[in-house]
Amino acid sequence: MENCIFCRIVEKEIPATIVYEDDFVIAFRDLNPQAPEHILVIPRKHVPRIETLDPEDALLMGKVIVAAKRIAEGLGMKHGYRLVFNNGPDAGQEVEHVHLHLMGGRKFSWPAG
Ligand code: AMP
């Protein structure tokens, strides 16, 4: 998708600190980290929001979550981590390409703000 910043990271048209990639998923450090470790895990395929996922994207999104698990293990997040999908304006989604926030290295409160 031409105007999608995350698609441009997938295409390596703009720089990002990539920490993981495979045929389906790419993960990179968030530019504005909210925790000592803050990674965005995204499908290479452009999907704007959770509600625009197709049923056949179920395996793809499973790969996103499993990639997050592997990254968390690699970064030594032994005491836990937070996984967040901001979806739509009420949730504060800024980038319309589905992304999983993986955050760790500190304690998180609940409920989220
Ligand atoms: P969200 O509010 O869930 O849509 O989160 C979008 C996230 O993308 C924010 O945490 C931004 O800091 C992050 N972000 C935006 N542009 C970039 C970029 N070029 N590289 C890395 N992270 C980015």
Side-chain angles (χ1 to χ4, degrees):
M1 183 69 67
E2 207 172 291
N3 294 324
C4 172
I5 192 158
F6 286 177
C7 285
R8 297 188 68 201
I9 290 173
V10 168
E11 297 300 328
K12 311 270 171 69
E13 290 173 3
I14 61 170
T17 305
I18 294 170
V19 298
Y20 175 86
E21 60 182 321
D22 62 28
D23 289 346
F24 302 95
V25 172
I26 185 165
F28 48 92
R29 291 197 175 275
D30 196 293
L31 265 189
N32 184 23
Q34 302 301 311
E37 302 285 7
H38 187 169
I39 311 292
L40 300 173
V41 189
I42 70 170
R44 287 184 184 274
K45 175 184 172 183
H46 181 80
V47 179
R49 289 191 191 178
I50 296 293
E51 65 262 32
T52 58
L53 285 165
D54 294 321
E56 56 267 29
D57 292 325
L59 181 60
L60 176 63
M61 295 310 291
K63 289 177 187 292
V64 167
I65 294 169
V66 171
K69 180 199 91 146
R70 287 195 184 130
I71 296 161
E73 286 170 355
L75 291 173
M77 295 182 191
K78 290 191 179 75
H79 302 294
Y81 44 86
R82 180 154 288 174
L83 297 174
V84 175
F85 288 105
N86 291 324
N87 187 65
D90 278 3
Q93 183 180 5
E94 290 173 0
V95 179
E96 294 261 327
H97 181 132
V98 163
H99 49 281
L100 177 59
H101 293 259
L102 163 63
M103 292 175 283
R106 69 169 171 88
K107 281 193 186 283
F108 296 91
S109 57
W110 190 259

